[in-house]
Amino acid sequence: MLTTRLDLDRIRVARRAIDPIFLDTPLYECDALGRQLGCAVSIKLETANPVRSFKARGTELVTGLLADQGRVGVVCASAGNLGQALGWSGRRRGLDVTVVASRWAPAAKLDRIRALGAELELVDGDFEAARERAAGIAQQRGVRLVEDSLDIETCEGAATIGLELADRTPSFDAVLIALGGGAMATGVGHVLKTLAPGVEVICVQPAGAPAMTRSWHQRRVVTTDSTSTIADGVAGRYPIRAVLDDLLAVADDAVLVREASIVAGMRMLLERAGLVVEPSAALGVAAILEDPDRFAGRHVVTIICGSNVDLDAYHRWVRS
Amino acid sequence: MLTTRLDLDRIRVARRAIDPIFLDTPLYECDALGRQLGCAVSIKLETANPVRSFKARGTELVTGLLADQGRVGVVCASAGNLGQALGWSGRRRGLDVTVVASRWAPAAKLDRIRALGAELELVDGDFEAARERAAGIAQQRGVRLVEDSLDIETCEGAATIGLELADRTPSFDAVLIALGGGAMATGVGHVLKTLAPGVEVICVQPAGAPAMTRSWHQRRVVTTDSTSTIADGVAGRYPIRAVLDDLLAVADDAVLVREASIVAGMRMLLERAGLVVEPSAALGVAAILEDPDRFAGRHVVTIICGSNVDLDAYHRWVRS
């Protein structure tokens, strides 16, 4: 019996509260990618929507609840994608959205958060510093703090991707999920372990931001002093205990990949699939590149979780 | 009363014969693009599928019929996308697929046709030369010739995009459709003029390949001696009379755009929407760029019809 903070019936109900624009995203096998990687590769594309990442699945739930409760404000810390998603969902429901981000987050992400009408506050420091500041704002203003991965709605939102994967017939052998705070991995993992337990759930994190992966392997929270990765979307240092517990229940493995593999993955997704993706979205392909024997001949799904990337940096990476 | 070769009921039935992987494609407003263009812009994304264009909607219909009839072979001329789509749909149904293309079609398209197991024959000449050769092969081998835009299935397949657009509420003001042979424009146009007659149907063709647009304006078939455009997917010279008649019934306008605008459109789709597209898919944005007043403040849909592009050329275009 699978025990996590998630619940399949709640996830199914949650799905109805999400704007359909974020649901039933493309899921298709990419021959050209598979030929190069030596396995069948299907893409679950979470970037063809107004915020170019999967995060709005969760912010739709949070803001829907807040609007129902007559609340007017909401704040979150964000590496960039959650902030955009909260900005989009909040704007639609008339909420005042405040986003706290690191000054060093990609300019493209910060610009789009502002453009959505959210108040953007920048901190000197990384994502963990932004988390601290967001909590302070929430307390000071008495508004709801949205904590990615800790707040169950963020996991349930991501879990709706799992429903769409589990619906697929014939099923596949493994799913590769970018691992940061853990909302996507625990959400998708919970659904697959419930509805399609034969599918291997593999989390992928950059070796330069390994806190949650180390925590999963050691079965206890392991923090790091710093991160060093281009995959800004998954660069946390302080795993959340409750999320780790869920991850221990649903993940079959958690692997770390090198920066060079992430870049190679981005390049391959461009050249073989015609997709511009942010580094976090290339983690799955990076994992196949680093361990081709593990995946040889199998059918693997990789979730392309975001495409918010600074193009200058992107071109430097993929053209070098 | 709208009279074309198309029929709404037939299109609705046709839809059921198409692999769902090609249906219900993303349709979403892109704020960042709209801000730059001065109007609301929604994207209908036809590239997130195994053949990276809308053409499989039609080839699914054709190959389904052939398989039902116990036929074993099929041939088409293709600028590149139809060939891939026919290769994909035919392979799935055990058909022998032959594709005739110009030697100067983008290598990326030709490679993918071969990779799908189709027999690829190259001709010295343009798309019109390929059409002639394909007709010869069909006669010689006694196999079905698929003629894009002339064969009703290719129009009906494209028309299913129209069903998905007409379902959208609130509706939009105009739809921009890349115009080549005319299958997409007549198919989508027929459905919109039937179900959402208030939507302006605007066809867009490169000034360097203007045959169908000139034909539409002169209400008679006008051919050209040559074409000169990077938009290889729409570079025909001999409009088909029956297709022109349909286009006259459903299109509100047909406009020509400059090559520089197509390139600017591709660049904008990359920078604002994170999408790598082939030149034909940028025709809609090019049309807005050339006539911003016409679209100011309106809600416009542009169909992103394909992403099969040679990356070296693409980088040259968008980075210059």
Side-chain angles (χ1 to χ4, degrees):
Chain A
M1 178 62 193
L2 184 67
T3 308
T4 75
R5 297 177 302 143
L6 286 116
D7 174 84
L8 194 63
D9 290 333
R10 271 183 59 105
I11 296 164
R12 287 195 169 121
V13 171
R15 189 180 145 87
R16 292 182 220 138
I18 301 173
D19 189 309
I21 211 166
F22 300 108
L23 298 175
D24 296 319
T25 54
L27 172 60
Y28 61 99
E29 187 174 343
C30 179
D31 274 3
L33 200 54
R35 267 195 307 281
Q36 189 158 9
L37 290 168
C39 54
V41 178
S42 281
I43 283 170
K44 180 66 172 165
L45 191 70
E46 292 295 312
T47 63
N49 65 51
V51 300
R52 294 168 56 175
S53 84
F54 75 99
K55 294 276 185 184
R57 293 180 185 250
T59 58
E60 285 288 287
L61 300 182
V62 172
T63 57
L65 290 171
L66 290 175
D68 288 348
Q69 295 163 359
R71 304 281 290 272
V72 294
V74 60
V75 59
C76 76
S78 173
N81 283 342
L82 182 69
Q84 281 181 74
L86 193 63
W88 193 94
S89 295
R91 181 177 68 176
R92 206 173 136 237
R93 293 172 177 86
L95 299 172
D96 291 326
V97 176
T98 304
V99 177
V100 186
S102 164
R103 195 173 299 288
W104 300 297
K109 290 181 174 175
L110 300 180
D111 290 346
R112 286 180 205 133
I113 291 169
R114 282 192 201 94
L116 286 160
E119 182 188 332
L120 178 64
E121 183 171 322
L122 300 179
V123 296
D124 295 316
D126 67 0
F127 175 66
E128 302 300 351
R131 269 171 80 181
E132 220 169 281
R133 175 66 188 141
I137 292 175
Q139 193 165 33
Q140 180 190 330
R141 300 187 191 167
V143 298
R144 161 79 185 263
L145 171 67
V146 177
E147 289 206 72
D148 206 358
S149 304
L150 177 61
D151 289 2
I152 197 69
E153 298 90 346
T154 64
C155 304
E156 288 172 344
T160 60
I161 300 172
L163 293 178
E164 295 167 24
L165 293 177
D167 267 352
R168 183 202 163 96
T169 49
S171 190
F172 38 84
D173 302 307
V175 59
L176 295 163
I177 312 176
L179 180 62
M184 184 159 63
T186 55
V188 174
H190 179 94
V191 173
L192 289 177
K193 283 298 154 196
T194 308
L195 295 177
V199 176
E200 191 179 14
V201 173
I202 304 172
C203 307
V204 190
Q205 204 164 36
M212 187 57 113
T213 296
R214 283 193 194 155
S215 301
W216 186 85
H217 282 280
Q218 297 184 29
R219 306 184 68 85
R220 65 180 180 88
V221 171
V222 178
T223 62
T224 61
D225 292 334
S226 62
T227 62
S228 174
T229 177
I230 59 170
D232 56 283
V234 293
R237 295 187 287 117
Y238 304 151
I240 298 167
R241 176 78 232 183
V243 185
L244 172 60
D245 287 342
D246 290 350
L247 199 66
L248 285 165
V250 303
D252 293 299
D253 201 359
V255 301
L256 298 174
V257 294
R258 294 185 297 274
E259 295 295 291
S261 306
I262 299 172
V263 168
M266 281 194 289
R267 189 179 300 126
M268 207 173 280
L269 282 162
L270 173 64
E271 292 176 352
R272 301 285 156 165
L275 298 174
V276 171
V277 305
E278 60 182 274
S280 308
L283 287 166
V285 174
I288 303 175
L289 283 169
E290 290 204 2
D291 196 357
D293 289 348
R294 176 176 188 167
F295 300 101
R298 302 173 74 196
H299 188 170
V300 183
V301 173
T302 182
I303 302 173
I304 304 298
C305 52
S307 70
N308 290 299
V309 62
D310 276 340
L311 276 181
D312 286 340
Y314 180 80
H315 284 301
R316 265 199 321 277
W317 295 326
V318 302
R319 299 293 283 175
S320 60
Chain B
M1 178 60 195
L2 184 69
T3 306
T4 74
R5 298 176 301 142
L6 285 116
D7 174 83
L8 193 61
D9 290 334
R10 272 183 57 104
I11 295 164
R12 287 194 168 122
V13 171
R15 189 179 145 87
R16 292 181 220 139
I18 300 171
D19 189 310
I21 210 165
F22 300 107
L23 299 174
D24 296 319
T25 53
L27 173 61
Y28 61 99
E29 186 175 343
C30 179
D31 275 3
L33 200 55
R35 267 195 306 281
Q36 188 158 9
L37 291 168
C39 55
V41 179
S42 281
I43 284 170
K44 181 65 173 165
L45 190 70
E46 292 296 313
T47 62
N49 65 50
V51 300
R52 294 169 56 174
S53 86
F54 76 98
K55 294 275 184 182
R57 292 180 187 250
T59 58
E60 285 287 287
L61 300 182
V62 172
T63 56
L65 289 171
L66 290 176
D68 288 348
Q69 295 162 359
R71 304 281 291 270
V72 294
V74 60
V75 60
C76 76
S78 172
N81 283 342
L82 182 69
Q84 281 180 73
L86 193 61
W88 193 92
S89 295
R91 182 178 66 176
R92 204 173 138 238
R93 293 171 177 86
L95 299 172
D96 291 325
V97 175
T98 303
V99 177
V100 186
S102 163
R103 195 173 300 286
W104 301 297
K109 290 180 173 174
L110 301 179
D111 289 346
R112 286 179 205 134
I113 291 169
R114 283 191 201 95
L116 286 160
E119 182 187 333
L120 177 66
E121 183 170 323
L122 299 179
V123 296
D124 295 317
D126 67 359
F127 175 65
E128 303 299 354
R131 269 170 81 180
E132 218 168 284
R133 175 65 188 141
I137 290 175
Q139 194 163 34
Q140 180 189 332
R141 299 187 192 168
V143 298
R144 162 80 185 263
L145 172 67
V146 177
E147 289 206 72
D148 206 358
S149 304
L150 177 61
D151 288 1
I152 197 69
E153 298 90 347
T154 63
C155 304
E156 289 173 341
T160 60
I161 300 173
L163 293 178
E164 295 167 23
L165 293 178
D167 267 352
R168 184 205 162 93
T169 50
S171 192
F172 37 85
D173 302 307
V175 60
L176 295 163
I177 311 177
L179 180 62
M184 185 160 60
T186 55
V188 173
H190 179 94
V191 174
L192 289 177
K193 284 297 153 199
T194 309
L195 296 177
V199 175
E200 191 180 16
V201 173
I202 304 171
C203 307
V204 190
Q205 204 164 36
M212 187 57 112
T213 297
R214 283 193 194 156
S215 302
W216 186 86
H217 282 282
Q218 299 183 30
R219 305 183 68 85
R220 63 177 182 88
V221 170
V222 178
T223 62
T224 62
D225 292 334
S226 62
T227 62
S228 174
T229 177
I230 59 170
D232 57 283
V234 292
R237 296 186 287 119
Y238 303 151
I240 298 166
R241 176 78 233 181
V243 184
L244 173 60
D245 287 342
D246 290 350
L247 199 65
L248 285 165
V250 303
D252 293 297
D253 200 0
V255 301
L256 297 174
V257 293
R258 295 185 297 276
E259 295 295 291
S261 306
I262 300 173
V263 168
M266 281 195 287
R267 189 180 298 125
M268 206 173 281
L269 283 162
L270 174 64
E271 291 176 354
R272 302 285 156 164
L275 297 174
V276 172
V277 305
E278 59 181 276
S280 308
L283 287 166
V285 173
I288 304 175
L289 283 169
E290 291 204 3
D291 196 358
D293 289 349
R294 175 176 190 168
F295 300 101
R298 301 174 74 199
H299 188 169
V300 183
V301 174
T302 181
I303 302 173
I304 304 297
C305 53
S307 70
N308 289 300
V309 61
D310 276 338
L311 276 181
D312 286 340
Y314 180 79
H315 285 301
R316 264 198 321 276
W317 295 325
V318 302
R319 299 293 282 175
S320 61

